[in-house]
Amino acid sequence: MNKWLIKAANKEYKKIAKDFEINEVLAKIIANRDVPYEDIPKYINPTAENSMHDPFLMKDMKKAVDMLIEAIDLNKHIRIVGDYDQDGNSSTMTLLDGLMLFTENISYAIPHRVEDGYGISKRIVEKAKEEGVDLIITCDNGISSFEPVKYASELGMDVIVTDHHQVNKDENGEDILPEANAVLNPNRSDCEYPFKKLCGAGVAFKFMYGLYLKLDADLDYLMDLLEYVAMGTVADIVDLLDENRFFVMEGLKKIHKTNNYGIKALIRETKLEQESIDVYKIGFILGPCINAAGRLDTATLGIELFLEENLERIDEIAKRLVELNNERKALTEEGVKLVMDKVESEELYKKDIILVCEKSIHESLAGIIAGRVKEFYNRPTIVFTAAREEGVLKGSGRSIAEYDMYKNIFPFKGLLKSFGGHPMACGLSVYEENFDLLYSSLLDSSKLTKEDLIPKKYIDSQLFIDKITFEIVELISTLEPYGAGNPKPVFGDRNIEVLDMKILGKNENTLKLQLKARGRKLDGIMFSNKEKIKVIYDYVSSKANNKNPFIDIIYYPDINEFMGNKNLQVRIVDLR
């Protein structure tokens, strides 16, 4: 059962409403987001002028830009090395598209999830040398690639690392950086860049911004790159605050008007409307299609989609990406069932942390499955499967806010073959013989309390569902984009009668309810995974006792559009 907490809104919300001439509902939401008073103008209305920081505040930026300009002037062969997920795809496209204005001597490489593992590999470095590459630029990876980066330098190539992942530390807490010519990462301890939560595409964009400023190049062209940056920012679930808020807001506008046929083809193939693309559709429909290529095929498909000029080939790729994502979804459901059965039969849900090994699942799905298990049990979860190397298990973890996964696993990295990540997620591999010792070590060192393990839902304020209007929905939409770090506002109401309830959808992951409160009837809808929807349906049904059950809900007001008709409904986040 979730614990519900009403946010103690900053008492200054009335002052915020007055000073910025906004509705008190919006002022309370802003106060609840802990937006610093001086940042409220750019939160309400993000612009390039009030949101974009000077790229040269980032450590090594001047060095990296100067190196890049020299490479362009001397027509050196530049190779971008990205990553196989949506952020890696977006980072690669940001650099490729940004640099195409200045040079044609540019290429790219994407690691293969199974053959190379995460990030730049020795194989990629050797191939770059064979093909006459002079400068390698990593994006969304490289900060932990010590051996491949050193190897590239030994082979006579220059390397610029651009990344946003956590920086490794030595026993004294000092940064351990790869031996590159320049390392762009706002998380460096010696980096004074004011915003630390950029995604990989965000760091790549700042690199291009620095280049365009130095060359006095076309900034309108540069801003068009935000359609890629927005996709990476949303898909990588970084906080939609500060600079990221502007990137996504502006990037969505670019996507709505894009001339990139690849983006248009993928939107069309997923049965979406170009003008309707929002954070949700990037995060849960478009992004997963790009990610599916890196999971089940080759991640270069995503890059090809955006670079290809043959329209028939573009349509083929878009169709293939959607097919791969459908295959990924089916494999995920199978994997979730296998892992959940193990968690239940071995009673792992009783432990502070869940570590489970299921060798049959595809290694690319371990993170998605870990996320589903974490969501269901509210426990930090790492799912392991068999790696290509004999005797090695490869795992992916997802965490809860109360448990910094990177910080808590780092002391035991000696037990691991590889490790990287951030507070809410990690990727790692371990020799099979060390699995039990790793698990016991993490459990013994856990400082999680019973209170930590109770899932919490935060409510912005009480709002009776019979009082919601189209105007309120419109007001709330003015503070979009919502997402990580800037969650959609949610409200609470109590003693609501359930007149009818049914499970919908091919995957049985939707609960449709007919509600009644203080004389007004209203539809309610709840989306989650199949397991959770079934538990909720059975729970509410058990309370009926030959009469309609009553529930309390956390929700946000929503508009359901169907065949040209618009109706108010409540999107239920949680109920009891």
Side-chain angles (χ1 to χ4, degrees):
M1 183 70 73
N2 294 324
K3 185 174 184 178
W4 294 6
L5 301 167
I6 296 179
K7 292 178 182 175
N10 186 322
K11 292 179 182 178
E12 296 294 308
Y13 79 88
K14 289 184 179 291
K15 174 178 169 55
I16 292 171
K18 182 180 178 182
D19 290 354
F20 296 99
E21 299 180 344
I22 59 174
N23 182 283
E24 285 193 4
V25 172
L26 299 190
K28 186 176 283 190
I29 291 167
I30 293 169
N32 283 343
R33 301 298 172 275
D34 294 322
V35 179
Y37 187 84
E38 63 275 12
D39 287 347
I40 290 174
K42 70 178 180 182
Y43 178 86
I44 294 172
N45 182 32
T47 64
E49 291 72 27
N50 66 20
S51 298
M52 295 234 301
H53 302 296
D54 180 356
F56 291 99
L57 293 174
M58 196 175 292
K59 185 72 175 178
D60 278 3
M61 181 63 78
K62 182 180 184 305
K63 188 190 301 184
V65 168
D66 288 345
M67 278 186 63
L68 188 51
I69 291 173
E70 180 184 22
I72 292 167
D73 288 344
L74 297 176
N75 196 34
K76 290 183 177 181
H77 185 173
I78 301 167
R79 174 154 297 173
I80 311 302
V81 179
D83 188 29
Y84 41 64
D85 66 0
Q86 170 68 77
D87 188 22
N89 178 289
S90 294
S91 306
T92 304
M93 282 306 307
T94 299
L95 294 177
L96 283 173
D97 206 340
L99 286 171
M100 283 176 184
L101 206 60
F102 309 104
T103 179
E104 294 181 355
N105 200 3
I106 185 169
S107 58
Y108 71 94
I110 306 291
H112 190 279
R113 185 183 286 267
V114 177
E115 290 181 17
D116 299 298
Y118 168 72
I120 186 171
S121 67
K122 187 176 180 182
R123 182 188 71 84
I124 289 173
V125 170
E126 288 175 342
K127 190 172 183 183
K129 182 62 178 176
E130 289 170 11
E131 296 177 358
V133 170
D134 302 295
L135 170 64
I136 291 175
I137 304 174
T138 74
C139 52
D140 193 34
N141 76 93
I143 198 65
S144 299
S145 303
F146 305 109
E147 292 182 13
V149 169
K150 184 177 181 181
Y151 186 46
S153 298
E154 290 171 349
L155 292 179
M157 291 178 283
D158 291 327
V159 181
I160 297 172
V161 168
T162 78
D163 202 351
H164 72 115
H165 292 96
Q166 293 294 315
V167 178
N168 285 270
K169 307 284 185 183
D170 64 19
E171 59 274 8
N172 298 316
E174 299 291 326
D175 287 358
I176 306 174
L177 299 175
E179 296 178 26
N181 300 78
V183 178
L184 302 180
N185 187 327
N187 291 305
R188 288 179 59 167
S189 59
D190 60 352
C191 181
E192 296 180 0
Y193 196 75
F195 185 58
K196 305 295 185 181
K197 296 184 178 181
L198 295 171
C199 69
V203 178
F205 179 80
K206 299 308 296 193
F207 188 19
M208 290 298 93
Y209 189 21
L211 176 70
Y212 277 56
L213 288 176
K214 193 73 177 282
L215 295 178
D216 194 25
D218 184 353
L219 292 183
D220 288 335
Y221 185 90
L222 174 78
M223 297 304 281
D224 284 341
L225 302 180
L226 288 178
E227 62 186 13
Y228 306 124
V229 179
M231 295 174 76
T233 300
V234 171
D236 222 47
I237 321 178
V238 291
D239 287 357
L240 298 189
L241 297 170
D242 201 277
E243 208 162 18
N244 288 341
R245 189 166 164 76
F246 169 72
F247 287 165
V248 173
M249 184 175 285
E250 193 64 24
L252 286 173
K253 293 176 187 175
K254 303 291 184 185
I255 291 171
H256 294 163
K257 299 182 295 184
T258 188
N259 291 317
N260 185 299
Y261 198 85
I263 294 178
K264 294 167 82 166
L266 186 59
I267 291 170
R268 186 172 60 252
E269 194 62 36
T270 51
K271 307 294 191 292
L272 299 175
E273 295 292 332
Q274 190 171 330
E275 295 76 17
S276 74
I277 299 303
D278 56 16
V279 167
Y280 175 84
K281 288 167 185 171
I282 289 176
F284 291 94
I285 301 175
L286 300 179
C289 290
I290 301 293
N291 281 335
R295 295 182 191 283
L296 303 179
D297 197 332
T298 169
T300 57
L301 280 175
I303 303 295
E304 287 179 53
L305 178 74
F306 299 135
L307 288 181
E308 180 62 58
E309 295 181 354
N310 183 294
L311 299 187
E312 287 186 12
R313 175 60 182 154
I314 290 172
D315 288 337
E316 286 175 10
I317 295 171
K319 190 180 294 291
R320 177 63 178 152
L321 290 174
V322 173
E323 289 172 352
L324 284 169
N325 192 42
N326 289 333
E327 182 183 344
R328 188 273 308 166
K329 286 191 278 190
L331 289 172
T332 298
E333 291 304 322
E334 292 174 15
V336 168
K337 186 177 187 313
L338 286 170
V339 170
M340 295 281 273
D341 286 348
K342 277 199 171 187
V343 172
E344 289 288 332
S345 63
E346 298 174 21
E347 297 188 334
L348 300 179
Y349 57 86
K350 293 183 178 179
K351 302 179 185 293
D352 285 0
I353 304 159
I354 294 174
L355 260 66
V356 60
C357 178
E358 175 49 64
K359 292 184 178 181
S360 67
I361 64 175
H362 196 289
E363 67 175 57
S364 69
L365 303 178
I368 300 174
I369 295 168
R372 290 273 293 271
V373 176
K374 182 268 298 185
E375 181 184 345
F376 192 79
Y377 295 107
N378 201 57
R379 300 285 194 279
T381 300
I382 307 176
V383 172
F384 288 89
T385 186
R388 292 186 79 189
E389 186 178 343
E390 187 70 29
V392 175
L393 301 174
K394 193 167 185 180
S396 189
R398 299 294 183 268
S399 197
I400 59 177
E402 293 81 359
Y403 187 82
D404 186 322
M405 195 160 256
Y406 184 85
K407 193 175 289 185
N408 279 281
I409 296 175
F410 186 79
F412 308 107
K413 67 174 184 174
L415 297 173
L416 305 174
K417 186 173 185 292
S418 64
F419 173 61
H422 51 80
M424 297 301 288
C426 73
L428 70 172
S429 59
V430 60
Y431 290 105
E432 201 163 348
E433 63 200 39
N434 287 340
F435 178 83
D436 291 336
L437 180 55
L438 173 66
Y439 199 177
S440 60
S441 299
L442 291 176
L443 290 174
D444 290 343
S445 63
S446 170
K447 294 182 174 60
L448 289 166
T449 65
K450 286 184 178 180
E451 179 69 19
D452 290 336
L453 297 174
I454 298 172
K456 300 167 185 68
K457 298 289 185 184
Y458 291 93
I459 304 168
D460 280 285
S461 74
Q462 186 179 56
L463 179 63
F464 294 151
I465 66 169
D466 52 300
K467 302 296 183 185
I468 66 174
T469 63
F470 286 100
E471 182 185 8
I472 287 174
V473 177
E474 182 63 32
L475 276 174
I476 292 170
S477 72
T478 62
L479 295 184
E480 293 177 348
Y482 293 117
N486 183 43
K488 189 151 191 158
V490 293
F491 306 93
D493 197 1
R494 304 174 69 178
N495 298 319
I496 297 168
E497 186 177 2
V498 179
L499 303 178
D500 190 26
M501 177 177 61
K502 52 190 172 185
I503 295 175
L504 304 176
K506 183 176 68 174
N507 296 319
E508 299 179 350
N509 60 356
T510 303
L511 188 65
K512 182 74 178 288
L513 306 97
Q514 187 179 19
L515 306 173
K516 184 179 180 182
R518 292 164 288 277
R520 182 180 177 186
K521 291 180 182 179
L522 206 63
D523 283 340
I525 194 161
M526 184 175 191
F527 299 101
S528 189
N529 56 65
K530 178 179 178 179
E531 301 84 13
K532 188 172 180 179
I533 289 295
K534 181 71 166 61
V535 167
I536 291 172
Y537 180 87
D538 291 344
Y539 171 71
V540 176
S541 298
S542 72
K543 301 295 180 183
N545 296 324
N546 298 318
K547 59 182 180 180
N548 291 336
F550 282 76
I551 59 174
D552 301 340
I553 64 171
I554 299 177
Y555 76 96
Y556 59 86
D558 193 23
I559 297 173
N560 179 38
E561 292 191 43
F562 183 69
M563 295 184 69
N565 295 317
K566 294 184 178 182
N567 294 296
L568 288 166
Q569 66 178 5
V570 293
R571 186 79 68 92
I572 298 172
V573 176
D574 197 18
L575 61 79
R576 64 186 184 191

